[in-house]
Amino acid sequence: MIKRNTKACDRDSPDTRLFCLSDQNQNKEGILMKMKKVIALLLACCLAFSLVACGGSSGNDAASDGAASGGSDTITLGLIGPLTGSLAVYGTHNENGAKLAIEEINAAGGVMLSDGAHQLALEVKDDQGDSTECVNAMNALISDGIQLVVGSATSGCTSAITAIANSEGVVLITPTGTADSLTTTMDYVFRTCFRDSFQGELAAQYALDEGYTKVGVVYCSADTYSAGLRDAFIAACQSKGLEVVAEESVATMTEVDYSNQFNKMVSAGAELVFTPFYYDVMGPYLVPQARSAGFTGILLGADGVDSTETTIPAGADLSVYNNVYFVNHYSTELATSDVSKNFVAAYEAKYGETPNNFDALAYDAVYVYKAAMEACGASDAASVQAALADTSVAYDSTCGTFSFDETGTPIKGGVLMGYTYTDGDAAVTKITVKDLSLN
């Protein structure tokens, strides 16, 4: 690491003493004092200039070296997610998964690069589930010299920073941003989750496999995630011969009244309704209101429905959460590989609870970074991007073994999960139904 040159000129040097005068003459002494002040000011200016010059150089180089393979023993990754606000569960679990991975990697000796072993550190930024805050967070990480970032948790926030990642040459791996538009070419943006078009098709395949022929959709037309899933689901239904009998939308992802939309689902005779929303509206609003409107069929969501059990109001009729299902990336009940089983055990030991897909996919993102850095022997963004762009590489993850496709999206399957309640239970139970595939 380049060190700042902070050594000032020696004020007792012979050159300085040339200005020392006899104290026999008070007028000369006064002149001397003034000259000393001038010299001191000049020296201060010289010192400040040298610090700025050295600091400017070391600031950029230190950031590059710290994130690359050069003069620092620690490589700092960035993480962006909603740690506060209505979607804080997502960001908190992303952070938990990433921290666990870093703790394990450091305990095992760190990341082995061409110049030796490096420890990992994590700089975390809260985007509050807001796109503007996400941009601010990304810019702050870049200003700090971070070249490898995990985030964000949602498609909307992630879509606000992909252009920044590409223009600044900073690698971005979103653990749970599923919108198709996030990764379109092999640039600096990757993900460890599948894309919306895939899970939308999985949802339609499930409806077909279970024998449903009349389906409906309630979605948010203004949200990247929800609208993208709607498009994928309807396209898949059309190709599979499923009839979409009704389609209704809301204007925001924070809508609290879905009664009118589900009245229309009931009137249209929908047997299954696809509901691509987040857990913060599913638990307290959408599910109870759908049942109150008389819809007794299947409510089928996507990965954002995970954690709905945390938002069910106290005193709610828990029976209404039966027949609520969602497509997901990961289930601890299907953890069969050593990587997955070890992750579950380590997570439960550290946090005292069972991990969810947001934990698992952020954990995977950190290990993908480790594998890419070790493959190229460096940790600068350009080298890591080139390593990640190798589609022949297979990564052993909590969700199974996968490779990236030509857009930086994993090729892998999914799972169907849901909720069940039996009279007398204290709470609903999250269950794993089965593996999902398009075959």
Side-chain angles (χ1 to χ4, degrees):
M1 181 170 58
I2 299 175
K3 296 183 179 179
R4 293 182 178 182
N5 181 7
T6 58
K7 184 178 179 181
C9 299
D10 188 350
R11 300 186 183 200
D12 293 326
S13 68
D15 290 336
T16 303
R17 290 198 297 270
L18 289 175
F19 294 100
C20 294
L21 302 174
S22 171
D23 62 355
Q24 293 178 355
N25 188 307
Q26 294 298 320
N27 290 332
K28 290 183 178 181
E29 188 173 30
I31 294 172
L32 175 62
M33 292 301 295
K34 290 181 180 179
M35 293 182 67
K36 284 184 175 181
K37 289 180 180 180
V38 172
I39 292 171
L41 180 60
L42 290 172
L43 288 173
C45 290
C46 291
L47 178 59
F49 178 81
S50 67
L51 284 173
V52 169
C54 293
S57 174
S58 67
N60 293 334
D61 293 344
S64 176
D65 289 347
S69 58
S72 174
D73 290 336
T74 301
I75 301 164
T76 302
L77 306 180
L79 184 141
I80 303 172
L83 303 178
T84 58
S86 62
L87 302 180
V89 168
Y90 292 164
T92 300
H93 282 282
N94 276 173
E95 182 180 12
N96 286 350
K99 284 184 174 179
L100 176 60
I102 288 174
E103 182 179 287
E104 291 178 351
I105 291 168
N106 288 342
V111 180
M112 298 301 298
L113 304 184
S114 59
D115 65 345
H118 292 252
Q119 294 284 286
L120 292 179
L122 190 68
E123 183 172 335
V124 181
K125 299 293 183 183
D126 180 13
D127 65 23
Q128 303 170 38
D130 178 81
S131 297
T132 300
E133 292 298 327
C134 191
V135 169
N136 293 339
M138 184 68 164
N139 287 332
L141 290 176
I142 292 172
S143 295
D144 290 342
I146 305 299
Q147 296 189 40
L148 310 176
V149 178
V150 177
S152 180
T154 64
S155 293
C157 282
T158 305
S159 66
I161 59 175
T162 54
I164 298 174
N166 287 322
S167 63
E168 296 293 330
V170 173
V171 181
L172 177 68
I173 298 180
T174 172
T176 47
T178 52
D180 282 37
S181 58
L182 299 181
T183 60
T184 56
T185 59
M186 191 61 80
D187 47 23
Y188 279 83
V189 183
F190 300 81
R191 55 178 138 207
T192 49
C193 56
F194 45 57
R195 60 168 66 90
D196 284 339
S197 58
F198 180 70
Q199 66 173 331
E201 191 170 1
L202 286 178
Q205 185 67 45
Y206 165 76
L208 180 66
D209 291 345
E210 296 300 313
Y212 300 108
T213 58
K214 296 182 177 182
V215 302
V217 181
V218 177
Y219 74 105
C220 176
S221 58
D223 182 73
T224 302
Y225 170 79
S226 189
L229 278 165
R230 172 262 176 204
D231 293 346
F233 179 75
I234 287 183
C237 286
Q238 292 172 344
S239 68
K240 298 176 188 298
L242 297 171
E243 181 183 2
V244 180
V245 296
E247 180 183 350
E248 294 293 324
S249 66
V250 296
T252 72
M253 289 292 276
T254 56
E255 177 61 59
V256 298
D257 187 359
Y258 299 86
S259 301
N260 184 54
Q261 286 77 15
F262 277 94
N263 283 331
K264 293 181 178 179
M265 294 296 127
V266 173
S267 297
E271 303 163 320
L272 176 151
V273 177
F274 186 55
T275 57
F277 289 92
Y278 294 137
Y279 71 98
D280 61 328
V281 301
M282 290 293 293
Y285 307 119
L286 192 149
V287 175
Q289 290 170 18
R291 302 310 188 202
S292 294
F295 182 74
T296 59
I298 299 295
L299 291 170
L300 178 62
D303 58 332
V305 175
D306 197 3
S307 297
T308 289
E309 72 277 9
T310 67
T311 62
I312 297 175
D317 177 4
L318 300 182
S319 66
V320 304
Y321 297 92
N322 284 320
N323 292 325
V324 175
Y325 299 105
F326 57 98
V327 177
N328 210 358
H329 309 262
Y330 169 82
S331 168
T332 57
E333 296 177 39
L334 300 177
T336 57
S337 70
D338 289 341
V339 171
S340 188
K341 289 187 289 186
N342 290 341
F343 161 68
V344 173
Y347 189 96
E348 291 177 343
K350 181 175 177 62
Y351 296 109
E353 62 181 14
T354 301
N356 65 21
N357 65 305
F358 288 86
D359 301 297
L361 293 168
Y363 177 92
D364 288 344
V366 173
Y367 270 101
V368 166
Y369 269 136
K370 175 181 183 291
M373 286 187 281
E374 291 185 336
C376 66
S379 62
D380 63 282
S383 297
V384 172
Q385 189 277 338
L388 291 173
D390 184 352
T391 58
S392 68
V393 177
Y395 299 92
D396 291 325
S397 75
T398 61
C399 305
T401 300
F402 73 84
S403 296
F404 286 121
D405 67 11
E406 67 280 359
T407 72
T409 294
I411 303 170
K412 59 182 179 180
V415 298
L416 182 72
M417 301 184 70
Y419 296 99
T420 186
Y421 172 76
T422 303
D423 288 344
D425 290 348
V428 300
T429 300
K430 182 158 58 177
I431 59 172
T432 299
V433 180
K434 62 179 181 178
D435 283 313
L436 290 177
S437 71
L438 298 179
N439 299 321

